[in-house]
Amino acid sequence: MPAKTFYLETFGCQMNAHDSEKVVGTLMAKGYTQVPTPEEAGLVLYNTCSIRDKAEQKVYHRLQQFKRNGKDKVIGVLGCVAQQEGERIFERAPNVGLVCGSASYNKLGELLVQIEAGDRRVTGLSLDTDEAFDTPFTRRDNPHRAYITIIEGCDKSCAYCVVPFTRGPERSRTSESVMAEARRLAAEGYSEIQLLGQNVNSYRDPTPAGWNFATLLGRVAEISGIRRVRYTTSHPRDFGRDIVDAMDSNPAICDHVHLPVQSGSSDVLARMERLYTRDEYIERIDWLKNARRIYSITTDIIVGFPGETEKDFEATLALLDEVEYDSLFSFKYSPRPNTAALGLEDHIPDEEKQRRLVIVQEKQRAIQIRRNAGLIGSVKEVLVEGRHQALEQWIGRTSDNRTLNFTHPLDGAASLTGKYLPVRVTRSGPNSLVGESVTVV
Ligand code: 5AD
Ligand code: SF4
């Protein structure tokens, strides 16, 4: 393999983005240098996602590109496709030399030594480890906002979902180690922490302290220097009232909850094995709507799950009207390997899934236009994320997770990035807000 250089491209969710930070740190500690293009790299890595077929195909497309011009490189597949497909990847993409799932990143150093020694096909695919949390060399991308993994894997078995197969069973990290990492990050100047897990609500401290998620959330938010705490993702079944209480009593916990519902029909939810009904979901939404602060609520929707009737679909549309989400992610159901839904009958044609997807998205767009317009005139605090040169605006994010770009008298003269500023909303669109900074006297 040529000089110790690597290129890494990341697909998928925030868990993957954070895993990539761990991978970059581990490689740099081994003397590797990151380069911006695959052409320059001796080691080309793809940290992959397999949540839907499209995400998986993207990876194979990348590997295909290297068939001709990647002869002198070692190509590695990391993440969820690696875990799902394992050694089959070597058959499908013979130019791949390394296949490693997320639970084995702490072994990456050893695997690279094997590659350097000339091994052609190296794997790290074990799932029965809880050592993945403490990859000591994490190299974070953002100087103000830091991810912390609090729980790995997932013990639910939603009928459509590949995650339990790619990330294994639930393993919670000790509260002591989470708190130590959060305190260290605060001391290093990070002001926003995002607690990560496939289902953070089912966090359970494995030490005798026995903290649940609400306790951990509250304690992290009390750390001095931490101004914002976010968490993702939640599962409605495990989303307890104590989480809302923790949010209400600690202003550092952001005004936002992502609570994926998937469908508004209790019949579909039962077939998805989501473990809650529409009414039970609405009960949780009511806790949030009747709370002491105003929380923005976002969700995920899957359309076209096997057997979803027109009536089921209308129940989802009615739910959108009832909850009035601040934002949502919507997806066409995509059959995944190993999942229970593969065995269900009545698969829905793609054109029909597409039709339903467009209807959901158009309805939600109208809701967002209305809700965002209602914010004009209000003042919101933003964390400044950077500068949009072309628009001559600063990019801000509100506690309730909206993008609020704004003008400021300093106008690019000095960097505002990383600062917290009050901004008055002057204009709104379906996906973002525009405003001007409020000078505080
Ligand atoms: N097909 C379509 N969407 C899916 N999701 C998870 N699995 C599938 C699948 N097989 C969606 C869910 C989940 C989000 C991360 O991705 O909505 O909440
Ligand atoms: Fe994709 Fe799920 Fe893996 Fe995240 S955990 S990368 S969403 S398959």
Side-chain angles (χ1 to χ4, degrees):
M1 184 169 60
K4 286 179 143 194
T5 48
F6 74 98
Y7 167 84
L8 170 64
E9 183 175 358
T10 306
F11 303 86
C13 62
Q14 283 144 319
M15 297 285 284
N16 258 22
H18 184 38
D19 283 346
S20 282
E21 295 179 330
K22 298 178 189 173
V23 168
V24 171
T26 307
L27 289 176
M28 290 175 76
K30 289 273 160 202
Y32 283 76
T33 311
Q34 190 170 17
V35 293
T37 64
E39 289 72 27
E40 296 162 67
L43 177 63
V44 175
L45 299 173
Y46 296 109
N47 189 4
T48 62
C49 172
S50 63
I51 195 94
R52 284 168 291 275
D53 187 55
K54 228 171 153 182
E56 186 176 336
Q57 292 319 319
K58 241 190 227 168
V59 176
Y60 283 109
H61 182 73
R62 287 287 194 282
L63 296 175
Q64 198 70 21
Q65 288 173 337
F66 271 97
K67 268 221 163 117
R68 287 175 306 280
N69 53 9
K71 295 248 181 314
D72 56 336
K73 302 178 191 303
V74 173
I75 308 213
V77 178
L78 311 178
C80 293
V81 176
Q83 196 67 53
Q84 179 190 298
E85 295 298 307
E87 300 192 357
R88 282 197 298 262
I89 294 179
F90 294 133
E91 311 308 320
R92 229 180 124 175
N95 52 343
V96 169
L98 167 72
V99 173
C100 180
S102 63
S104 305
Y105 292 157
N106 57 341
K107 298 208 184 73
L108 213 48
E110 292 161 41
L111 300 178
L112 289 171
V113 170
Q114 291 175 30
I115 287 178
E116 284 162 15
D119 274 9
R120 297 281 309 280
R121 291 184 166 182
V122 177
T123 56
L125 292 168
S126 116
L127 265 181
D128 55 4
T129 168
D130 56 3
E131 293 161 24
F133 296 126
D134 296 311
T135 320
F137 306 109
T138 306
R139 173 58 80 103
R140 290 187 158 83
D141 285 340
N142 184 305
H144 309 290
R145 190 185 336 128
Y147 295 126
I148 299 183
T149 310
I150 62 165
I151 180 168
E152 282 278 0
C154 182
D155 279 352
K156 295 281 182 294
S157 31
C158 302
Y160 51 79
C161 190
V162 80
V163 170
F165 306 97
T166 62
R167 288 191 171 265
E170 270 177 12
R171 289 96 69 203
S172 286
R173 185 177 179 179
T174 66
S175 59
E176 205 182 298
S177 132
V178 173
M179 291 300 288
E181 186 168 3
R183 285 196 198 98
R184 203 188 66 237
L185 291 165
E188 286 171 13
Y190 291 92
S191 63
E192 181 174 316
I193 299 266
Q194 184 154 352
L195 303 177
L196 288 183
Q198 292 303 332
N199 175 7
V200 288
N201 305 155
S202 69
Y203 173 83
R204 177 61 68 172
D205 183 3
T207 68
W211 292 1
N212 66 9
F213 176 64
T215 306
L216 182 73
L217 182 64
R219 296 287 167 91
V220 171
E222 281 165 8
I223 294 173
S224 121
I226 299 301
R227 296 201 40 176
R228 286 185 173 180
V229 183
R230 301 184 185 280
Y231 59 92
T232 199
T233 188
S234 289
H235 189 297
R237 164 78 172 226
D238 301 323
F239 187 85
R241 229 198 151 102
D242 55 347
I243 300 173
V244 183
D245 292 339
M247 294 177 76
D248 269 348
S249 53
N250 199 321
I253 304 173
C254 285
D255 303 339
H256 171 219
V257 178
H258 184 65
L259 200 58
V261 64
Q262 315 300 358
S263 168
S265 152
S266 290
D267 286 350
V268 173
L269 289 172
R271 263 178 295 123
M272 286 179 166
E273 296 175 51
R274 286 291 286 175
L275 311 175
Y276 55 85
T277 62
R278 178 195 173 104
D279 286 349
E280 285 163 343
Y281 181 84
I282 290 289
E283 192 185 343
R284 277 139 189 86
I285 295 294
D286 286 342
W287 296 341
L288 289 164
K289 291 200 168 166
N290 297 323
R292 269 183 269 154
R293 278 192 278 152
I294 296 174
Y295 296 112
S296 76
I297 307 173
T298 58
T299 202
D300 293 340
I301 299 281
I302 296 177
V303 298
F305 187 74
E308 183 189 65
T309 62
E310 190 58 34
K311 203 163 145 255
D312 291 323
F313 177 60
E314 279 165 16
T316 296
L317 296 177
L319 183 83
L320 300 197
D321 280 330
E322 186 173 344
V323 178
E324 293 212 293
Y325 291 103
D326 293 275
S327 175
L328 67 72
F329 298 100
S330 50
F331 311 100
K332 291 189 277 189
Y333 166 70
S334 167
R336 303 312 293 134
N338 306 314
T339 58
L342 285 182
L344 296 176
E345 283 177 18
D346 214 5
H347 283 260
I348 293 171
D350 189 62
E351 310 80 77
E352 180 57 19
K353 288 184 196 164
Q354 183 63 31
R355 186 187 73 86
R356 293 181 188 180
L357 187 71
V358 169
I359 294 173
V360 162
Q361 291 177 348
E362 282 176 356
K363 174 176 273 302
Q364 181 59 25
R365 187 180 154 85
I367 292 172
Q368 285 176 212
I369 288 174
R370 199 168 61 241
R371 284 185 74 74
N372 286 345
L375 296 172
I376 292 177
S378 65
V379 173
K380 288 181 166 285
E381 185 184 64
V382 299
L383 165 59
V384 186
E385 293 187 335
R387 172 99 178 144
H388 197 305
Q389 289 301 354
L391 292 176
E392 301 192 330
Q393 287 170 349
W394 294 97
I395 302 164
R397 181 154 301 272
T398 62
S399 168
D400 69 2
N401 208 32
R402 285 181 162 84
T403 299
L404 170 48
N405 294 346
F406 63 100
T407 51
H408 185 278
L410 267 179
D411 211 20
S415 182
L416 300 176
T417 306
K419 295 198 166 28
Y420 288 82
L421 295 175
V423 172
R424 185 181 318 281
V425 180
T426 53
R427 281 185 286 139
S428 69
N431 297 310
S432 63
L433 306 170
V434 178
E436 49 201 30
S437 87
V438 179
T439 322
V440 261
V441 228

